[in-house]
Amino acid sequence: DTGVSQNPRHKITKRGQNVTFRCDPISEHNRLYWYRQTLGQGPEFLTYFQNEAQLEKSRLLSDRFSAERPKGSFSTLEIQRTEQGDSAMYLCASSYGTANEKLFFGSGTQLSVL
Amino acid sequence: EDQVTQSPEALRLQEGESSSLNCSYTVSGLRGLFWYRQDPGKGPEFLFTLYSAGEEKEKERLKATLTKKESFLHITAPKPEDSATYLCAVVRSNDYKLSFGAGTTVTVRA
């Protein structure tokens, strides 16, 4: 068990650029989640995959955000035309089973939009 | 909409000084309440899940309890390594995603 891996750890970009983050979940986990966290706040749910199917997207996820999980393995989160308000820590988490909400989180990708 | 409120926002303790953190929640049909620990620059780390009122869980110096409206995380004789932000989260019945509170940042001085 190597844990949930996220890359890159830090990303600095200019407003209007596109960015992509990657998450590698724990290998046997079938559920994968993306959360966003700003300073002094708890994580906010963005989207959720069960295997390769994206089952829910939060209202927070504008059409500039897209997430994929090809073949039910790793996942990517892309933000197009970044805005300063997108600056946050993007956390990925995974879990296993039909009723197990014990999530294992990665260390996150810290995005700064200048 | 689910609401999770944690208090206090910050807590400064002397080593060995026991205290409690509060998490009050409003959710229609609670499936479970979770406590996580988060260190600076890291993702949250799972501590406990509580499912029903009256349930208690313990791990080292931490003890979590649950009532129908709130949960407490008791820290007994804390050490500096217990310094972290403690997050509370709830999951609604027939749902799978966690709704988090803003957290309580605990600082333990030697």
Side-chain angles (χ1 to χ4, degrees):
Chain A
D1 178 0
T2 57
V4 177
S5 176
Q6 291 189 247
N7 288 288
R9 288 296 314 278
H10 303 276
K11 179 70 177 179
I12 300 173
T13 191
K14 293 182 179 179
R15 189 175 53 186
Q17 298 295 306
N18 299 344
V19 294
T20 300
F21 311 141
R22 176 177 170 126
C23 171
D24 288 273
I26 293 171
S27 58
E28 64 269 23
H29 285 185
N30 59 343
R31 295 182 166 191
L32 187 146
Y33 305 77
W34 285 98
Y35 283 80
R36 179 170 65 188
Q37 186 176 25
T38 54
L39 198 62
Q41 299 300 314
E44 293 177 301
F45 171 79
L46 293 179
T47 190
Y48 156 70
F49 290 84
Q50 181 154 319
N51 299 312
E52 67 276 9
Q54 187 174 19
L55 297 187
E56 184 173 344
K57 292 169 62 174
S58 165
R59 295 188 305 272
L60 296 173
L61 215 62
S62 78
D63 56 8
R64 296 185 297 106
F65 287 70
S66 62
E68 295 182 341
R69 193 184 181 196
K71 302 179 182 178
S73 56
F74 71 92
S75 177
T76 58
L77 178 67
E78 181 184 15
I79 308 174
Q80 296 182 327
R81 305 180 302 281
T82 53
E83 301 173 356
Q84 288 186 326
D86 297 331
S87 296
M89 172 79 85
Y90 289 84
L91 292 163
C92 175
S94 68
S95 68
Y96 176 77
T98 57
N100 183 357
E101 294 83 18
K102 177 180 175 181
L103 302 188
F104 294 82
F105 282 86
S107 291
T109 295
Q110 182 65 53
L111 173 66
S112 297
V113 182
L114 305 179
Chain B
E1 186 173 319
D2 303 338
Q3 285 197 324
V4 181
T5 304
Q6 293 190 245
S7 62
E9 290 184 9
L11 190 59
R12 292 175 64 85
L13 301 172
Q14 199 69 34
E15 185 172 5
E17 178 188 1
S18 301
S19 188
S20 295
L21 285 55
N22 178 265
C23 171
S24 62
Y25 62 91
T26 303
V27 60
S28 55
L30 178 73
R31 169 184 274 180
L33 184 140
F34 297 75
W35 283 97
Y36 280 81
R37 169 192 171 126
Q38 187 172 28
D39 293 306
K42 299 282 185 67
E45 178 185 349
F46 173 80
L47 292 174
F48 305 109
T49 310
L50 301 167
Y51 293 104
S52 57
E55 189 174 358
E56 299 181 351
K57 295 269 180 79
E58 285 189 67
K59 179 181 179 180
E60 296 181 357
R61 295 175 293 282
L62 300 177
K63 178 180 177 180
T65 61
L66 181 65
T67 72
K68 289 186 177 179
K69 294 184 178 181
E70 58 191 349
S71 176
F72 292 92
L73 184 66
H74 308 278
I75 309 179
T76 302
K79 298 182 177 181
E81 52 262 42
D82 294 322
S83 297
T85 295
Y86 292 87
L87 296 164
C88 171
V90 297
V91 175
R92 193 189 307 173
S93 296
N94 301 319
D95 202 350
Y96 38 75
K97 57 185 179 290
L98 298 176
S99 296
F100 283 88
T104 294
T105 299
V106 175
T107 304
V108 183
R109 296 165 291 174

